[in-house]
Amino acid sequence: MVSNGGERLNKGMIAHVRKKDDGTWASPQSLINHLEGTAKIAQDNAAKFSSDTWGKILGLAHDIGKGRESWQKYLGDKSGYGYNEDAHLEGKPGKMPHAIHGAKISEEIFGKGLGRTLAYCIAGHHAGLPDWSSSGGAGAASLEYQVNQIKDLDNIDQAFVDILRSVSPPLPPWQFKSGLDMSLWIRMLYSSLVDADFLDTEYYMDQNKFEQRSEFCSIAELLGKFNHYIDRLEQDAKDTEVNRIRTKIRNKCVQMAGEKQGIYSLSVPTGGGKTLSTLAFALEHTLKHNLDRIIYVIPYTSIIEQNADVFRAAVGADQVVEHHSSIDIDEITSKARLAAENWDAPIIVTTSVQFFESLFAAKPSCCRKLHNIARSVVILDEAQLLPADFLEPILETMQLLTEHYRVSFVISTATQPAFEERQGFKGFKDIHEIIGSDEEVRILYKSLQRNTVEFPTDIKTPSRWEEIAAELSEFEQVLCIVSDRKSCRELHRLMPEGTFHLSALMCGQHRSETIDKIKAKLKNNEPVRVISTQLVEAGVDLDFPVVYRALAGLDSIVQAAGRCNREGNLSIGKVVVFIPPRRAPIGILRKAAETTVGIVSTYADPLAYGVFERYFSELYWKANTLDKNEMLHLLDPRRNDPQECSIYFRSAAAKFKLIDDSKIKTIFVRYGKGDELIDLLKTKGPDRWILRQLQRYTVNIYKDSFALMLNRGALEEVYPDIYALVSSSEYADNIGLKIDVEFEPENYIF
């Protein structure tokens, strides 16, 4: 290796190099400085879950494979300092591996038990957490295979090995139980390492970017802002019974925030002000227990912006970071964009998909933020929408986060799912209801009862769409909710002109604009009729005097009722449940509807607070499985081979998909600004800015529908595997995408 002046470089072994803005080479980052810098950050990250020494060892070991003359020679080339800026990145064609050397030497130094724990993290710090063996389908990517291929450990500079030997890992911070306990701990260590490696490398490569990760307000400062906002809000609010009840709920949350960390439920009817009440609890609880952040998890991307806007108004726009698929990364500040990478902000707003899939992920970019879930308050909004197929691994992970990582959960919903442990169901050990006793909750629900719900006398005989349309047409303002896209289209066709349609066959921008028009008409007391799928049932603040709901799960019926007389401006609203012409689709939606029929036939008041537990207990019992893809088997080392610590991280990550995207294709639609953006995409290619802008102009369709549209020439491939509508004539301003809709339920989680 030669320097710019041609003299032999004697600055020791090197980890990274970069060019300055003027094109000349900056001084390289020495390997020892990078190892020690990463070790310090990883140690601090892992200290949040009593694993600081483990984090330190990972930092010292992760790039030890660069301490070989062969790798240092590989780093060189013929120009300048002679270094390839991205040579350190593995997984790209032609890159010389280095991570697996650190993995193998850690196992040799610390043994198969402790050493293999480190090896998973080190081997995967660029390429992702691996499976243990090829029996999981990983082949040459498995940790077992890679470790066995390494023969040149003797070439590693002994000084680096001695540094690693000087730090002995203690025993793990707790005794692992069977299940997900150990794999979650390894993934948290991995997160601590990956984030530390990113940050230390970023500090060398781009110090300006590193310094943009500026400090946010403290939790105490945020609480002060929040309380000031609430004072102004209460001064301006109308003195109504509903607003008085909302204040009582919020005060109860503040009172309960002083209790110990754990799993809490907030059982409040829709329209009870849960969004601000949960934030009040979270801020007070975070301050009380010296925690770091609040993570707000929302099921639908279609409503996430609404809740984020509430938080911004309460504590300041620059204190809230959104991280989900619909956020336009170029419309947020650079500070927020950087904070989204590792959730290093006081308030994070994200989706159920982002949150839970990250907890089972294997990729560095997905796992980087996980250590920042430790020492936090996590609010699960509308938790009843969590898919039953993944409930067992989700609940076990939440319990572990509570027990070992200082996480408090708030399960916030009007229809509390039956998540508590019972015979035959491995749920939470203990849930604390914020409102108080069952009797106190019943009193609250009765005080916020703003409508009556009418079930049909004959719960099994369906009505015709023509009959439903005729009934709906008699009302000036009415909302009707059905469970699938086909029914939504069929009923909408029978309604008077001007009736609004809402479904996920409309892109996000179209839905938002339509909801704004509906709200404006309601506010001005103008006639407005809406036919919608269940996308309006969570977080969309509509307030109709009359709501119709096709028979569905009991939780869906209650959520639909939350759109009726929401503000209590009427003496009583009217909710009508009807039997639709078509049964719910096979699967959990049909089982939910059938369970509701049984509940309605058994209870005089099927919507009473205490009935929800019976409903969800029956529904989960009817589910085919609560661990669809055997996550507990893949991630439990004791289930595979207790002697080998054989965990299948990559296989589990591939199977943990809350939305089965293997059956779905995403297309860009020509609606509004989407028309111009698609043409720009065709001209410039998949520029990041264009793709982010286009997020608001996407529609998900099933692959059968995609094939039909492609065959008839309605779609064009604007870039390899990126498809868009050929013409705006394929998209209608009133109903969205023009396709012959199959019987497709709306996705529970978008």
Side-chain angles (χ1 to χ4, degrees):
M1 294 176 288
V2 294
S3 69
N4 284 329
E7 300 171 357
R8 184 167 184 79
L9 185 68
N10 62 357
K11 294 185 178 181
M13 292 195 168
I14 291 168
H16 303 112
V17 294
R18 65 178 176 86
K19 282 186 176 180
K20 295 185 287 188
D21 292 340
D22 62 6
T24 61
W25 288 98
S27 297
Q29 182 187 35
S30 71
L31 181 54
I32 188 60
N33 282 350
H34 176 55
L35 295 179
E36 290 179 343
T38 302
K40 177 62 174 68
I41 301 171
Q43 181 177 10
D44 291 344
N45 288 344
K48 289 178 284 190
F49 48 98
S50 304
S51 303
D52 45 339
T53 304
W54 289 83
K56 179 180 180 179
I57 293 172
L58 285 169
L60 291 173
H62 80 290
D63 271 358
I64 200 172
K66 292 181 179 180
R68 296 171 289 141
E69 284 296 334
S70 58
W71 199 91
Q72 293 289 314
K73 182 179 179 182
Y74 156 73
L75 190 61
D77 62 26
K78 296 180 180 179
S79 64
Y81 259 124
Y83 301 105
N84 181 345
E85 294 121 303
D86 65 352
H88 64 287
L89 296 176
E90 292 193 40
K92 293 185 176 182
K95 303 301 179 188
M96 179 182 285
H98 66 271
I100 193 61
H101 294 78
K104 182 163 185 173
I105 203 165
S106 295
E107 190 169 300
E108 290 195 359
I109 291 174
F110 302 118
K112 281 190 175 181
L114 303 180
R116 183 154 301 164
T117 297
L118 298 166
Y120 280 109
C121 302
I122 296 165
H125 77 270
H126 287 307
L129 283 166
D131 287 348
W132 162 241
S133 78
S134 57
S135 63
S142 71
L143 181 59
E144 180 184 41
Y145 178 87
Q146 292 181 69
V147 166
N148 289 335
Q149 298 305 302
I150 300 303
K151 309 298 182 185
D152 58 345
L153 284 184
D154 291 342
N155 295 330
I156 295 178
D157 191 303
Q158 188 61 38
F160 297 112
V161 178
D162 290 343
I163 291 172
L164 192 57
R165 289 184 185 277
S166 70
V167 186
S168 299
L171 290 174
W174 57 83
Q175 186 172 353
F176 298 121
K177 299 176 291 188
S178 62
L180 304 178
D181 197 354
M182 186 176 185
S183 65
L184 179 60
W185 182 63
I186 293 174
R187 196 180 281 104
M188 282 291 196
L189 286 173
Y190 177 67
S191 169
S192 300
L193 170 63
V194 168
D195 189 38
D197 188 26
F198 269 113
L199 289 174
D200 188 75
T201 303
E202 179 181 270
Y203 182 77
Y204 168 72
M205 291 289 192
D206 190 346
Q207 196 161 354
N208 289 333
K209 182 179 177 183
F210 181 86
E211 290 172 352
Q212 286 181 44
R213 297 180 184 274
S214 55
E215 293 295 323
F216 291 88
C217 289
S218 68
I219 295 297
E221 290 169 328
L222 293 179
L223 181 58
K225 289 185 175 188
F226 176 80
N227 287 335
H228 180 66
Y229 172 79
I230 291 297
D231 288 343
R232 287 188 285 111
L233 193 69
E234 291 183 342
Q235 289 172 10
D236 297 337
K238 294 180 181 178
D239 185 19
T240 65
E241 180 63 18
V242 169
N243 283 333
R244 287 193 291 272
I245 293 171
R246 288 170 178 165
T247 298
K248 288 180 182 178
I249 293 168
R250 192 164 57 248
N251 290 341
K252 184 69 173 178
C253 285
V254 171
Q255 175 189 335
M256 287 294 291
E259 298 297 317
K260 65 180 181 179
Q261 283 198 257
I263 298 174
Y264 288 83
S265 58
L266 179 63
S267 303
V268 173
T270 54
K274 291 191 295 294
T275 301
L276 285 174
S277 292
T278 51
L279 184 55
F281 174 92
L283 286 168
E284 294 278 1
H285 195 70
T286 302
L287 185 63
K288 167 74 176 178
H289 295 285
N290 192 29
L291 306 179
D292 297 330
R293 65 188 42 81
I294 297 157
I295 304 171
Y296 204 96
V297 183
I298 301 175
Y300 298 115
T301 55
S302 57
I303 62 169
I304 200 167
E305 293 154 359
Q306 172 183 289
N307 289 40
D309 285 344
V310 172
F311 296 150
R312 290 191 187 98
V315 299
D318 58 342
Q319 302 300 311
V320 179
V321 171
E322 291 182 64
H323 189 202
H324 52 88
S325 61
S326 291
I327 187 67
D328 186 343
I329 203 74
D330 295 289
E331 290 185 359
I332 62 176
T333 65
S334 57
K335 182 173 76 171
R337 184 165 60 247
L338 292 170
E341 295 174 354
N342 63 353
W343 286 6
D344 186 17
I347 299 177
I348 303 291
V349 183
T350 190
T351 58
S352 300
V353 170
Q354 177 73 240
F355 183 78
F356 288 109
E357 288 190 1
S358 294
L359 281 166
F360 291 88
K363 292 181 179 179
S365 58
C366 296
C367 292
R368 179 179 177 182
K369 57 186 171 288
L370 294 184
H371 69 91
N372 276 331
I373 294 176
R375 294 174 52 90
S376 68
V377 177
V378 178
I379 301 163
L380 290 185
D381 190 33
E382 308 298 356
Q384 78 281 356
L385 294 176
L386 290 176
D389 288 345
F390 296 94
L391 206 53
E392 192 170 354
I394 284 174
L395 296 187
E396 183 172 326
T397 299
M398 290 172 63
Q399 185 71 54
L400 289 169
L401 287 171
T402 302
E403 291 177 359
H404 300 311
Y405 301 90
R406 293 195 63 195
V407 177
S408 288
F409 283 95
V410 180
I411 302 168
S412 173
T413 176
T415 52
Q416 283 294 338
F419 283 168
E420 206 151 13
E421 191 172 49
R422 56 188 179 276
Q423 187 174 3
F425 182 81
K426 190 179 178 182
F428 299 139
K429 295 177 182 178
D430 195 15
I431 304 177
H432 311 281
E433 172 55 54
I434 290 175
I435 297 302
S437 65
D438 284 351
E439 184 58 28
E440 288 174 297
V441 176
R442 287 191 185 94
I443 292 171
L444 172 63
Y445 272 65
K446 190 170 183 179
S447 69
L448 276 172
Q449 187 171 346
R450 290 149 292 173
N451 49 59
T452 59
V453 181
E454 302 173 6
F455 287 90
T457 53
D458 183 354
I459 198 68
K460 294 185 178 180
T461 302
S463 301
R464 294 183 299 113
W465 286 132
E466 289 80 5
E467 294 171 337
I468 301 302
E471 286 187 36
L472 296 173
S473 299
E474 293 177 3
F475 300 102
E476 291 284 290
Q477 294 185 334
V478 63
L479 166 66
C480 179
I481 304 173
V482 296
S483 297
D484 64 278
R485 300 170 177 183
K486 188 176 181 70
S487 295
C488 192
R489 287 273 174 98
E490 289 180 356
L491 181 54
H492 183 262
R493 288 192 195 103
L494 298 171
M495 293 296 294
E497 187 176 351
T499 299
F500 287 98
H501 168 281
L502 279 171
S503 83
L505 286 175
M506 302 159 66
C507 66
Q509 185 65 29
H510 191 180
R511 293 198 305 266
S512 295
E513 291 174 6
T514 302
I515 289 170
D516 287 343
K517 291 175 184 176
I518 293 167
K519 287 182 176 181
K521 285 185 174 292
L522 288 170
K523 184 177 180 180
N524 296 329
N525 202 29
E526 299 174 25
V528 53
R529 301 181 182 94
V530 180
I531 310 298
S532 177
T533 58
Q534 67 249 39
L535 67 85
V536 298
E537 285 181 349
V540 180
D541 296 337
L542 299 177
D543 188 1
F544 280 84
V546 180
V547 172
Y548 274 57
R549 183 46 165 112
L551 181 71
L554 204 63
D555 53 322
S556 291
I557 292 170
V558 172
Q559 293 294 338
R563 315 309 125 191
C564 179
N565 195 24
R566 188 178 183 88
E567 297 299 322
N569 294 324
L570 304 174
S571 57
I572 198 75
K574 178 180 179 179
V575 179
V576 178
V577 179
F578 64 93
I579 313 301
R582 188 181 295 107
R583 294 178 70 191
I586 294 174
I588 197 67
L589 290 180
R590 181 171 295 183
K591 289 173 181 176
E594 291 171 348
T595 303
T596 298
V597 170
I599 294 288
V600 171
S601 304
T602 304
Y603 291 88
D605 183 4
L607 298 182
Y609 168 71
V611 179
F612 298 143
E613 182 177 359
R614 171 71 182 275
Y615 163 77
F616 281 110
S617 296
E618 287 191 19
L619 181 61
Y620 298 150
W621 178 77
K622 290 177 180 177
N624 293 331
T625 175
L626 301 179
D627 185 12
K628 177 182 177 182
N629 292 324
E630 299 187 317
M631 307 300 295
L632 299 183
H633 178 76
L634 289 168
L635 293 172
D636 184 354
R638 299 182 185 183
R639 290 177 183 243
N640 295 296
D641 186 344
Q643 303 303 315
E644 292 291 343
C645 185
S646 51
I647 303 174
Y648 294 82
F649 287 105
R650 195 162 301 185
S651 295
K655 291 184 176 183
F656 193 91
K657 300 294 181 185
L658 297 189
I659 300 174
D660 186 1
D661 53 13
S662 66
K663 299 177 182 178
I664 293 172
K665 287 290 288 186
T666 299
I667 63 172
F668 295 125
V669 298
R670 292 183 177 274
Y671 170 83
K673 191 179 177 183
D675 202 9
E676 171 190 338
L677 289 168
I678 290 169
D679 290 338
L680 202 58
L681 177 65
K682 291 169 66 176
T683 303
K684 293 190 172 184
D687 179 88
R688 179 179 175 182
W689 176 86
I690 298 172
L691 290 176
R692 285 292 182 179
Q693 292 275 323
L694 275 167
Q695 285 288 343
R696 295 288 293 164
Y697 301 92
T698 62
V699 170
N700 293 329
I701 58 176
Y702 285 82
K703 287 190 174 179
D704 289 347
S705 298
F706 172 82
L708 289 172
M709 294 189 72
L710 192 63
N711 289 338
R712 67 180 173 83
L715 296 173
E716 60 178 331
E717 191 173 20
V718 294
Y719 203 79
D721 207 34
I722 297 177
Y723 291 85
L725 291 181
V726 171
S727 167
S728 57
S729 63
E730 296 288 344
Y731 192 93
D733 286 342
N734 58 343
I735 60 170
L737 193 64
K738 292 181 179 179
I739 61 172
D740 294 328
V741 186
E742 296 298 321
F743 183 30
E744 301 171 352
E746 294 282 87
N747 286 322
Y748 260 39
I749 299 177
F750 291 18

